[in-house]
Structures are given as C-alpha cells and as structure tokens.
Amino acid sequence: MRVSGMLHLLAFIFALVATWIFISSYISFNMKTLRLPRWLASSSPTSGLSVVRTKCGLSKPCPDNFFAFKISSGAANIVGPTMCFENLVIMSPVKNNVGRGLNIALVNGTTGIVLTQKCFDMYSGDVKLLVKFLKDIPEGTLVLMASYDDPGTKMNDETRKLLSSLGSSYANQLGFRDSWVFLGAKDLKDKSPFEQFLKNNPDSNKYEGWPELLELEGCVPQKVF
C-alpha cells in the first residue's frame, strides 16, 4: 500500500509539474507574440527615429532654403485641380475655390507667403481679366498654374506671350481641353524646369474627351528668380 501510494503521489506531482511547464510555455509564447511588432520596430534600422513627413507629401524632403510644392491638374471636367505650397493647400475642390479654365496662385518668392489665388474661365469667360491679372503680377512672385476642363479656348497671342514670360515652354501650344501644370515666376530669364503638358488627343486620351491629369512636384529655391 505504501509503494502504491507513493507511485500515485509521484504521478500526481509529475502531472502537476508538466501542466505548470505547459502553461508557462504557452503564456511566454503569447507574450512574445504580442510584443513582436514592438520588438521588430525597436530592432529596425530606423529605431529611435521619427518618421519624416514631407511637406505636401513629396517623395523626399526639400533642402534648406527651398520651398516644397505640388500641383495637380483637373481630371476631365469632374475633379478640380489641387495646389499645395509649403504644406499649405492653396486651392482644391475641398476648399471649393477652383474653377473651369486656368487656376492660378501667386506666392512671394522670398517669404513663401501666399498672395492670392484666382481661377479664369477660358471657355466662355473674358480673357481680358486674365491679361490684366498677369500684367499686375509683382516682381519676385512665384506663379503656380493648373488646368481644369478647358484652359485654351480663349487663349490669344497676348496671353501666350505673358505666360511665356513667366517661363512656360508650352504656352504657345495650349489649347482646348489640354492638361497643363506649371510653376514659373515674373520675368523669368530662362525657361522654368517645372512644367508638364499633355495635348488633348482622341487617340490617347485617358478620359473620354480629355487627357489624363498631370501632377508636378518639386523644390524651388528661395530668391532664385
């Protein structure tokens, strides 16, 4: 009886120990699983560094003494254009301050302060309003432009000349329902490197009757113009 009782006691102790080991292992495994993402983050090469959020969502941050910008043209006649400068959205459909034709924002080239923004109907509007606006742009001003629906029907020689003086390479080609995004400056001596243009072509249009939208982003140096 003593031997039998001793065997039962040993079996009970063994079962108890085995159960404790199993429970301990299970809890340990789950704790490690729960902590795994934090462990991966702490052992990654970027450990201890905050995620850099670029201005205007650019693919990489701008150097010191440079302004960040992003311009998107309108999509057909459905979605309006968007302009962002130094992380400030100047014009967008959400702000409800865009319109058919040419959307233009003026920014002080030294301070980066937004001076004004306007849209000009280039299908049925008065092009003289655009001509006056372009002539009155102060020296040292950055000019951001984006097309929406139709930027070219009302375009005339005087307007094209004024746009070209801002550094545009495509102002003379701009026509009915073309897509265009541009950043230039008043009386720029050379052509601006910040411009994209897409001709309205039924054979290549992405949307029925319109080319695809364009997006332009970059870093423009202060006081460069």
Side-chain angles (χ1 to χ4, degrees), residues 10 16 37 39 46 62 65-66 78 80 89 98 101 105 124 147 156 162 198 202 210 219 224:
L10 290 174
L16 206 62
W39 174 80
T46 57
C62 292
N65 300 318
F66 278 73
I78 306 299
V89 176
V98 297
S124 59
S147 64
N156 57 24
L162 289 169
L198 197 56
W210 291 269
C219 304
V224 71

PDB file of all heavy atoms in Angstrom, residues 10 16 37 39 46 62 65-66 78 80 89 98 101 105 124 147 156 162 198 202 210 219 224:
ATOM      1  N   LEU A  10       3.757  10.328  -6.803  1.00  0.00           N
ATOM      2  CA  LEU A  10       4.733  10.743  -7.812  1.00  0.00           C
ATOM      3  C   LEU A  10       4.055  11.078  -9.138  1.00  0.00           C
ATOM      4  O   LEU A  10       4.424  12.037  -9.820  1.00  0.00           O
ATOM      5  CB  LEU A  10       5.776   9.634  -8.014  1.00  0.00           C
ATOM      6  CG  LEU A  10       6.752   9.418  -6.847  1.00  0.00           C
ATOM      7  CD1 LEU A  10       7.631   8.189  -7.112  1.00  0.00           C
ATOM      8  CD2 LEU A  10       7.636  10.652  -6.640  1.00  0.00           C
ATOM      9  N   LEU A  16       1.391  17.528 -12.276  1.00  0.00           N
ATOM     10  CA  LEU A  16       1.322  18.925 -11.845  1.00  0.00           C
ATOM     11  C   LEU A  16       2.449  19.739 -12.474  1.00  0.00           C
ATOM     12  O   LEU A  16       2.247  20.851 -12.980  1.00  0.00           O
ATOM     13  CB  LEU A  16       1.404  18.981 -10.321  1.00  0.00           C
ATOM     14  CG  LEU A  16       0.759  20.186  -9.624  1.00  0.00           C
ATOM     15  CD1 LEU A  16      -0.741  20.214  -9.886  1.00  0.00           C
ATOM     16  CD2 LEU A  16       1.024  20.128  -8.132  1.00  0.00           C
ATOM     17  N   PRO A  37       5.664  42.947 -32.756  1.00  0.00           N
ATOM     18  CA  PRO A  37       5.759  44.167 -33.560  1.00  0.00           C
ATOM     19  C   PRO A  37       6.634  45.239 -32.917  1.00  0.00           C
ATOM     20  O   PRO A  37       7.411  45.889 -33.586  1.00  0.00           O
ATOM     21  CB  PRO A  37       4.291  44.629 -33.649  1.00  0.00           C
ATOM     22  CG  PRO A  37       3.494  43.384 -33.441  1.00  0.00           C
ATOM     23  CD  PRO A  37       4.287  42.588 -32.451  1.00  0.00           C
ATOM     24  N   TRP A  39       9.037  44.720 -30.856  1.00  0.00           N
ATOM     25  CA  TRP A  39      10.421  44.233 -30.916  1.00  0.00           C
ATOM     26  C   TRP A  39      11.007  44.469 -32.297  1.00  0.00           C
ATOM     27  O   TRP A  39      12.148  44.891 -32.457  1.00  0.00           O
ATOM     28  CB  TRP A  39      10.457  42.742 -30.588  1.00  0.00           C
ATOM     29  CG  TRP A  39      11.817  42.142 -30.768  1.00  0.00           C
ATOM     30  CD1 TRP A  39      12.867  42.208 -29.914  1.00  0.00           C
ATOM     31  CD2 TRP A  39      12.279  41.386 -31.885  1.00  0.00           C
ATOM     32  NE1 TRP A  39      13.946  41.539 -30.415  1.00  0.00           N
ATOM     33  CE2 TRP A  39      13.615  41.028 -31.628  1.00  0.00           C
ATOM     34  CE3 TRP A  39      11.689  40.971 -33.077  1.00  0.00           C
ATOM     35  CZ2 TRP A  39      14.364  40.279 -32.524  1.00  0.00           C
ATOM     36  CZ3 TRP A  39      12.426  40.233 -33.978  1.00  0.00           C
ATOM     37  CH2 TRP A  39      13.757  39.894 -33.684  1.00  0.00           C
ATOM     38  N   THR A  46      15.662  51.994 -38.340  1.00  0.00           N
ATOM     39  CA  THR A  46      15.153  53.326 -38.035  1.00  0.00           C
ATOM     40  C   THR A  46      14.754  53.460 -36.576  1.00  0.00           C
ATOM     41  O   THR A  46      14.023  54.365 -36.207  1.00  0.00           O
ATOM     42  CB  THR A  46      13.947  53.651 -38.932  1.00  0.00           C
ATOM     43  OG1 THR A  46      12.939  52.635 -38.742  1.00  0.00           O
ATOM     44  CG2 THR A  46      14.344  53.686 -40.402  1.00  0.00           C
ATOM     45  N   CYS A  62      12.600  68.622 -49.016  1.00  0.00           N
ATOM     46  CA  CYS A  62      13.392  69.647 -49.710  1.00  0.00           C
ATOM     47  C   CYS A  62      14.562  70.096 -48.836  1.00  0.00           C
ATOM     48  O   CYS A  62      14.466  70.078 -47.609  1.00  0.00           O
ATOM     49  CB  CYS A  62      12.520  70.847 -50.047  1.00  0.00           C
ATOM     50  SG  CYS A  62      11.248  70.513 -51.288  1.00  0.00           S
ATOM     51  N   ASN A  65      16.273  76.279 -47.369  1.00  0.00           N
ATOM     52  CA  ASN A  65      16.145  77.411 -48.283  1.00  0.00           C
ATOM     53  C   ASN A  65      15.487  77.039 -49.607  1.00  0.00           C
ATOM     54  O   ASN A  65      15.704  77.702 -50.641  1.00  0.00           O
ATOM     55  CB  ASN A  65      17.518  78.061 -48.552  1.00  0.00           C
ATOM     56  CG  ASN A  65      18.163  78.567 -47.282  1.00  0.00           C
ATOM     57  OD1 ASN A  65      17.503  79.155 -46.430  1.00  0.00           O
ATOM     58  ND2 ASN A  65      19.463  78.315 -47.135  1.00  0.00           N
ATOM     59  N   PHE A  66      14.692  75.970 -49.577  1.00  0.00           N
ATOM     60  CA  PHE A  66      13.896  75.579 -50.732  1.00  0.00           C
ATOM     61  C   PHE A  66      12.434  75.462 -50.308  1.00  0.00           C
ATOM     62  O   PHE A  66      12.138  75.042 -49.189  1.00  0.00           O
ATOM     63  CB  PHE A  66      14.359  74.234 -51.300  1.00  0.00           C
ATOM     64  CG  PHE A  66      15.555  74.327 -52.213  1.00  0.00           C
ATOM     65  CD1 PHE A  66      16.813  74.581 -51.707  1.00  0.00           C
ATOM     66  CD2 PHE A  66      15.412  74.148 -53.582  1.00  0.00           C
ATOM     67  CE1 PHE A  66      17.921  74.660 -52.539  1.00  0.00           C
ATOM     68  CE2 PHE A  66      16.508  74.222 -54.431  1.00  0.00           C
ATOM     69  CZ  PHE A  66      17.767  74.473 -53.905  1.00  0.00           C
ATOM     70  N   ILE A  78     -14.567  66.751 -64.089  1.00  0.00           N
ATOM     71  CA  ILE A  78     -15.169  66.146 -62.895  1.00  0.00           C
ATOM     72  C   ILE A  78     -14.464  66.564 -61.609  1.00  0.00           C
ATOM     73  O   ILE A  78     -15.087  67.063 -60.675  1.00  0.00           O
ATOM     74  CB  ILE A  78     -15.165  64.602 -62.998  1.00  0.00           C
ATOM     75  CG1 ILE A  78     -15.840  64.146 -64.304  1.00  0.00           C
ATOM     76  CG2 ILE A  78     -15.853  63.991 -61.786  1.00  0.00           C
ATOM     77  CD1 ILE A  78     -17.289  64.576 -64.416  1.00  0.00           C
ATOM     78  N   GLY A  80     -11.572  68.851 -59.754  1.00  0.00           N
ATOM     79  CA  GLY A  80     -10.785  70.062 -59.912  1.00  0.00           C
ATOM     80  C   GLY A  80      -9.332  69.882 -59.521  1.00  0.00           C
ATOM     81  O   GLY A  80      -8.947  68.877 -58.920  1.00  0.00           O
ATOM     82  N   VAL A  89      -2.375  73.801 -48.446  1.00  0.00           N
ATOM     83  CA  VAL A  89      -3.209  73.600 -49.631  1.00  0.00           C
ATOM     84  C   VAL A  89      -3.831  74.951 -49.983  1.00  0.00           C
ATOM     85  O   VAL A  89      -4.663  75.480 -49.240  1.00  0.00           O
ATOM     86  CB  VAL A  89      -4.297  72.542 -49.386  1.00  0.00           C
ATOM     87  CG1 VAL A  89      -5.198  72.428 -50.614  1.00  0.00           C
ATOM     88  CG2 VAL A  89      -3.675  71.195 -49.054  1.00  0.00           C
ATOM     89  N   VAL A  98     -11.738  76.391 -56.807  1.00  0.00           N
ATOM     90  CA  VAL A  98     -11.196  76.116 -58.137  1.00  0.00           C
ATOM     91  C   VAL A  98     -12.326  76.242 -59.158  1.00  0.00           C
ATOM     92  O   VAL A  98     -13.504  76.217 -58.806  1.00  0.00           O
ATOM     93  CB  VAL A  98     -10.556  74.723 -58.218  1.00  0.00           C
ATOM     94  CG1 VAL A  98      -9.364  74.618 -57.289  1.00  0.00           C
ATOM     95  CG2 VAL A  98     -11.572  73.618 -57.890  1.00  0.00           C
ATOM     96  N   GLY A 101     -11.056  76.199 -66.457  1.00  0.00           N
ATOM     97  CA  GLY A 101     -10.098  77.078 -67.123  1.00  0.00           C
ATOM     98  C   GLY A 101      -8.720  77.007 -66.514  1.00  0.00           C
ATOM     99  O   GLY A 101      -8.157  75.927 -66.316  1.00  0.00           O
ATOM    100  N   ALA A 105      -2.223  80.580 -58.577  1.00  0.00           N
ATOM    101  CA  ALA A 105      -1.885  81.047 -57.230  1.00  0.00           C
ATOM    102  C   ALA A 105      -0.575  81.824 -57.302  1.00  0.00           C
ATOM    103  O   ALA A 105       0.357  81.420 -58.007  1.00  0.00           O
ATOM    104  CB  ALA A 105      -1.757  79.878 -56.262  1.00  0.00           C
ATOM    105  N   SER A 124     -15.708  80.371 -71.723  1.00  0.00           N
ATOM    106  CA  SER A 124     -16.720  81.394 -72.005  1.00  0.00           C
ATOM    107  C   SER A 124     -16.468  82.690 -71.231  1.00  0.00           C
ATOM    108  O   SER A 124     -17.300  83.595 -71.259  1.00  0.00           O
ATOM    109  CB  SER A 124     -18.120  80.866 -71.663  1.00  0.00           C
ATOM    110  OG  SER A 124     -18.193  80.505 -70.292  1.00  0.00           O
ATOM    111  N   SER A 147      -4.525  73.488 -65.037  1.00  0.00           N
ATOM    112  CA  SER A 147      -5.687  73.495 -65.919  1.00  0.00           C
ATOM    113  C   SER A 147      -6.823  72.675 -65.326  1.00  0.00           C
ATOM    114  O   SER A 147      -6.606  71.779 -64.506  1.00  0.00           O
ATOM    115  CB  SER A 147      -5.308  72.910 -67.283  1.00  0.00           C
ATOM    116  OG  SER A 147      -4.937  71.536 -67.137  1.00  0.00           O
ATOM    117  N   ASN A 156      -5.222  83.891 -76.351  1.00  0.00           N
ATOM    118  CA  ASN A 156      -4.829  84.705 -77.502  1.00  0.00           C
ATOM    119  C   ASN A 156      -3.323  84.947 -77.477  1.00  0.00           C
ATOM    120  O   ASN A 156      -2.620  84.504 -76.567  1.00  0.00           O
ATOM    121  CB  ASN A 156      -5.611  86.028 -77.529  1.00  0.00           C
ATOM    122  CG  ASN A 156      -5.430  86.850 -76.255  1.00  0.00           C
ATOM    123  OD1 ASN A 156      -4.435  86.706 -75.539  1.00  0.00           O
ATOM    124  ND2 ASN A 156      -6.391  87.722 -75.979  1.00  0.00           N
ATOM    125  N   LEU A 162       2.507  86.516 -72.381  1.00  0.00           N
ATOM    126  CA  LEU A 162       2.660  86.763 -70.943  1.00  0.00           C
ATOM    127  C   LEU A 162       3.001  85.474 -70.198  1.00  0.00           C
ATOM    128  O   LEU A 162       3.847  85.484 -69.289  1.00  0.00           O
ATOM    129  CB  LEU A 162       1.364  87.365 -70.389  1.00  0.00           C
ATOM    130  CG  LEU A 162       1.066  88.805 -70.805  1.00  0.00           C
ATOM    131  CD1 LEU A 162      -0.348  89.192 -70.425  1.00  0.00           C
ATOM    132  CD2 LEU A 162       2.069  89.767 -70.180  1.00  0.00           C
ATOM    133  N   LEU A 198       0.116  68.014 -71.611  1.00  0.00           N
ATOM    134  CA  LEU A 198      -0.406  66.854 -72.321  1.00  0.00           C
ATOM    135  C   LEU A 198      -1.515  67.314 -73.265  1.00  0.00           C
ATOM    136  O   LEU A 198      -2.515  67.899 -72.826  1.00  0.00           O
ATOM    137  CB  LEU A 198      -0.937  65.806 -71.347  1.00  0.00           C
ATOM    138  CG  LEU A 198      -1.138  64.381 -71.882  1.00  0.00           C
ATOM    139  CD1 LEU A 198       0.158  63.838 -72.483  1.00  0.00           C
ATOM    140  CD2 LEU A 198      -1.618  63.465 -70.770  1.00  0.00           C
ATOM    141  N   PRO A 202      -7.811  62.495 -79.150  1.00  0.00           N
ATOM    142  CA  PRO A 202      -8.805  61.414 -79.051  1.00  0.00           C
ATOM    143  C   PRO A 202      -8.195  60.017 -79.074  1.00  0.00           C
ATOM    144  O   PRO A 202      -8.763  59.080 -78.507  1.00  0.00           O
ATOM    145  CB  PRO A 202      -9.698  61.642 -80.278  1.00  0.00           C
ATOM    146  CG  PRO A 202      -9.537  63.097 -80.603  1.00  0.00           C
ATOM    147  CD  PRO A 202      -8.111  63.424 -80.253  1.00  0.00           C
ATOM    148  N   TRP A 210     -10.867  64.017 -72.790  1.00  0.00           N
ATOM    149  CA  TRP A 210      -9.814  64.720 -72.049  1.00  0.00           C
ATOM    150  C   TRP A 210      -8.590  63.819 -71.853  1.00  0.00           C
ATOM    151  O   TRP A 210      -8.730  62.604 -71.653  1.00  0.00           O
ATOM    152  CB  TRP A 210     -10.293  65.150 -70.665  1.00  0.00           C
ATOM    153  CG  TRP A 210     -11.316  66.222 -70.638  1.00  0.00           C
ATOM    154  CD1 TRP A 210     -11.112  67.569 -70.557  1.00  0.00           C
ATOM    155  CD2 TRP A 210     -12.744  66.050 -70.660  1.00  0.00           C
ATOM    156  NE1 TRP A 210     -12.306  68.240 -70.535  1.00  0.00           N
ATOM    157  CE2 TRP A 210     -13.328  67.333 -70.592  1.00  0.00           C
ATOM    158  CE3 TRP A 210     -13.575  64.914 -70.729  1.00  0.00           C
ATOM    159  CZ2 TRP A 210     -14.702  67.524 -70.603  1.00  0.00           C
ATOM    160  CZ3 TRP A 210     -14.945  65.107 -70.745  1.00  0.00           C
ATOM    161  CH2 TRP A 210     -15.498  66.402 -70.689  1.00  0.00           C
ATOM    162  N   CYS A 219      11.061  71.093 -55.521  1.00  0.00           N
ATOM    163  CA  CYS A 219      11.606  72.033 -54.548  1.00  0.00           C
ATOM    164  C   CYS A 219      12.144  73.229 -55.322  1.00  0.00           C
ATOM    165  O   CYS A 219      13.035  73.088 -56.159  1.00  0.00           O
ATOM    166  CB  CYS A 219      12.734  71.386 -53.750  1.00  0.00           C
ATOM    167  SG  CYS A 219      12.277  69.846 -52.913  1.00  0.00           S
ATOM    168  N   VAL A 224      15.446  82.645 -56.142  1.00  0.00           N
ATOM    169  CA  VAL A 224      16.175  82.218 -57.332  1.00  0.00           C
ATOM    170  C   VAL A 224      15.750  83.004 -58.552  1.00  0.00           C
ATOM    171  O   VAL A 224      16.472  83.137 -59.511  1.00  0.00           O
ATOM    172  CB  VAL A 224      15.982  80.702 -57.580  1.00  0.00           C
ATOM    173  CG1 VAL A 224      14.572  80.403 -58.039  1.00  0.00           C
ATOM    174  CG2 VAL A 224      16.973  80.201 -58.618  1.00  0.00           C
TER     175      VAL A 224
END
